[in-house]
Amino acid sequence: MHIDALHENAAEFFAGTIGEAIQASGGVLSTAERHYYYPGALQEQFLANLPLPIGANRPHNQKIVFPTATDFERFSSGGAALEAYANNPRTTIYEDTAHHGDWQQGAARYLMGLLGYQVAFSFFDSAHGDGGIGPHRDNWHNVAVQFYGKKAWWLGNDVMLQTPEPTLVLSPGDILVFPQNYPHDVRAILGHSVHLSIETRLDTPIKSA
């Protein structure tokens, strides 16, 4: 069934699919030390029609973030960001984008109501060969949605063992769910790639009225 991304139900459709994947994975409070993979959970064309606050469409007040070996560099100026990228090509991170764009705001509200915790969206925009954060753990429950291109993921023991072959390669429409503090590494392959990280902040519950 074709879903028009500009339809008023696009945000609910997107968030509902994410919510189903989270619930099928045991919920955000699951203690299972594993990841869950849902290939083709969203239609590629549906995602391609969703406007993204990245690149030239970035709001002027949004910072551009680059990972370094020990921290993150943040730039408000597009010119300064381009210079930093030229000196050290890395995945461009657009943090906390849930405040930009109707579908993202609507999807974030839906998920926060469903999950009971604050939710943040961050887009990871990578060219082939871009550096990244490297193997790490996050202190939030994570859902990755592949929008464009392909990204290779090393997960769990594969990160620890530094296996040459990735655990999974995500294509557009694929969803990956993994718990807080689960080791992972991600790299772009075969050119330009964009994925969305949906971060459920388990240390920030939403207070009921």
Side-chain angles (χ1 to χ4, degrees), residues 71-72 104 119 127 153 159 172 183-184 208:
D71 202 353
F72 294 87
Q104 292 168 86
V119 170
W153 289 77
V159 175
H184 59 282
S208 58

Side-chain angles (χ1 to χ4, degrees), residues 30 35 43 45 67 74 92 134 149-150 152 161 169 179 189 206 208-209:
S30 172
H35 60 272
Q43 292 183 354
Q45 187 57 48
R74 290 175 170 83
T92 306
K150 295 179 182 289
L161 298 174
V169 176
I189 60 173
I206 297 172
S208 58

Side-chain angles (χ1 to χ4, degrees), residues 24-37:
S25 307
V28 294
L29 299 180
S30 172
T31 58
E33 289 293 318
R34 56 162 295 186
H35 60 272
Y36 298 83
Y37 174 49

Side-chain angles (χ1 to χ4, degrees), residues 7 22 31 47 79 94 104 115 131 143 147 154 160 169 185:
H7 190 276
I22 292 173
T31 58
L47 295 176
Y94 298 89
Q104 292 168 86
L115 303 173
V143 178
F147 271 68
W154 284 258
M160 303 302 187
V169 176
D185 188 14

Side-chain angles (χ1 to χ4, degrees), residues 129-153:
D130 277 356
I133 301 172
H136 65 286
R137 303 170 188 261
D138 295 326
N139 62 355
W140 53 78
H141 180 277
N142 210 326
V143 178
V145 183
Q146 189 68 22
F147 271 68
Y148 300 106
K150 295 179 182 289
K151 273 186 176 166
W153 289 77

Side-chain angles (χ1 to χ4, degrees), residues 66-69 73 81-91 129-132:
F66 295 118
T68 69
E73 294 180 340
L82 287 173
E83 182 178 354
Y85 179 86
N87 292 332
N88 183 9
R90 292 155 288 170
T91 290
D130 277 356

Side-chain angles (χ1 to χ4, degrees), residues 102-206:
D102 291 341
W103 76 266
Q104 292 168 86
Q105 292 176 356
R109 283 195 300 268
Y110 182 101
L111 286 171
M112 287 189 287
L114 177 67
L115 303 173
Y117 293 90
Q118 292 291 334
V119 170
F121 287 8
S122 296
F123 281 95
F124 289 68
D125 187 359
S126 308
H128 181 70
D130 277 356
I133 301 172
H136 65 286
R137 303 170 188 261
D138 295 326
N139 62 355
W140 53 78
H141 180 277
N142 210 326
V143 178
V145 183
Q146 189 68 22
F147 271 68
Y148 300 106
K150 295 179 182 289
K151 273 186 176 166
W153 289 77
W154 284 258
L155 299 153
N157 288 334
D158 289 344
V159 175
M160 303 302 187
L161 298 174
Q162 297 183 334
T163 60
E165 294 299 320
T167 312
L168 294 170
V169 176
L170 266 61
S171 298
D174 292 355
I175 294 176
L176 172 64
V177 182
F178 54 92
Q180 184 180 37
N181 294 320
Y182 191 66
H184 59 282
D185 188 14
V186 57
R187 303 170 208 167
I189 60 173
L190 302 176
H192 183 222
S193 172
V194 176
H195 81 270
L196 168 63
S197 172
I198 301 173
E199 304 148 3
T200 303
R201 307 286 180 158
L202 301 178
D203 59 345
T204 315
I206 297 172

